[in-house]
Amino acid sequence: EIVLTQSPGTLSLSPGERATLSCRASQSVPSSSYLAWYQQKPGLAPRLLISDTSKRATGIPDRFSGSGSGTDFTLTISRLEPEDFGVYYCQRYGSPFTFGPGTKVELK
Amino acid sequence: QVQLQESGPGLVKPSETLSLTCTVSGASISSYYWSWIRQSPGKGLEWIGFISFTGTTKYTSSLESRVTISADTSKNQVDLKLRSVTAADTAVYYCARIMVEGVHGMDVWGQGTTVTVSS
């Protein structure tokens, strides 16, 4: 069973800065279709940001981008906006639909 | 647009069965996969299981012996039952739609429902 590890645990940044979030899988993800990213803000349900490693979900601004393959995947936020602060989870798509432990992006 | 609404008791006693319903509007449950996910207080997301449009179910291994997901097509609802609950099952429970074509992700989520296990 694939285990996902996310780093860093917490990222302290200012608006306008670039955020780079890492997701590492314990074994190779068999297809680029099988990695997704979600954003969660306090008290709210998660929201799909990126599917299939690099496809932005409907309504997601282009400052969010995803990349990677094999065991290493990255979510990049090119210029942080105030509404981007929250927790980000990667997910292995496919049974089991494992989530990583999350990276908290907080205001510096 | 597609909307999901979780419902069920907010308080369940230890050893009893947790029963939740996800009511879907704007889409037929017979056309998609549906999943349950939970989040313990202050913790990350834990996938519980899914039901496909053919009725196939898959569960996370740690809960497989206690969990059942079923669908009621006449009511357009997806149900979750978790038996023999303990305090460790206290969490916010979410239902979500799993897309299997074009987009591979959980694209619509309910707002979640909080369940506390306590006597």
Side-chain angles (χ1 to χ4, degrees):
Chain A
E1 186 172 309
I2 290 178
V3 175
L4 300 177
T5 304
Q6 292 186 244
S7 60
T10 301
L11 202 48
S12 299
L13 295 168
S14 301
E17 289 194 291
R18 182 185 187 88
T20 303
L21 287 67
S22 173
C23 176
R24 179 161 289 179
S26 59
Q27 52 189 282
S28 184
V29 175
S31 165
S32 63
S33 297
Y34 293 175
L35 200 287
W37 291 90
Y38 299 83
Q39 176 196 63
Q40 187 178 32
K41 297 181 183 180
L44 296 179
R47 174 174 72 146
L48 178 66
L49 288 178
I50 300 281
S51 71
D52 305 75
T53 298
S54 60
K55 288 185 186 178
R56 277 188 299 277
T58 303
I60 301 303
D62 61 7
R63 64 179 181 272
F64 290 92
S65 63
S67 63
S69 65
T71 59
D72 291 302
F73 297 86
T74 301
L75 174 69
T76 302
I77 311 171
S78 59
R79 295 173 309 280
L80 277 167
E81 296 286 342
E83 61 268 27
D84 298 337
F85 294 94
V87 181
Y88 291 80
Y89 296 93
C90 60
Q91 181 197 41
R92 189 266 191 187
Y93 176 93
S95 187
F97 286 80
T98 311
F99 290 94
T103 290
K104 182 179 182 180
V105 178
E106 65 176 20
L107 186 62
K108 186 175 181 180
Chain B
Q1 77 274 25
V2 181
Q3 292 185 311
L4 311 182
Q5 178 68 58
E6 303 91 346
S7 60
L11 182 64
V12 181
K13 290 183 168 53
S15 80
E16 294 190 344
T17 296
L18 179 161
S19 294
L20 298 176
T21 294
C22 175
T23 300
V24 179
S25 58
S28 169
I29 65 168
S30 301
S31 300
Y32 297 94
Y33 284 40
W34 305 93
S35 187
W36 285 94
I37 303 100
R38 71 180 183 179
Q39 187 169 35
S40 300
K43 302 296 185 184
L45 301 170
E46 179 182 20
W47 176 69
I48 298 172
F50 76 78
I51 185 165
S52 77
F53 44 66
T54 62
T56 298
T57 54
K58 294 285 187 185
Y59 307 116
T60 190
S61 55
S62 62
L63 298 175
E64 189 167 18
S65 62
R66 299 194 290 130
V67 68
T68 301
I69 296 175
S70 59
D72 185 335
T73 54
S74 67
K75 296 180 180 178
N76 219 39
Q77 293 176 336
V78 179
D79 295 327
L80 171 71
K81 291 191 187 306
L82 184 62
R83 297 174 290 278
S84 305
V85 298
T86 69
D89 296 309
T90 293
V92 177
Y93 286 76
Y94 297 100
C95 59
R97 182 175 74 172
I98 303 175
M99 292 296 288
V100 297
E101 292 183 8
V103 169
H104 296 94
M106 297 179 179
D107 70 328
V108 182
W109 293 64
Q111 66 186 25
T113 188
T114 299
V115 178
T116 301
V117 178
S118 175
S119 56

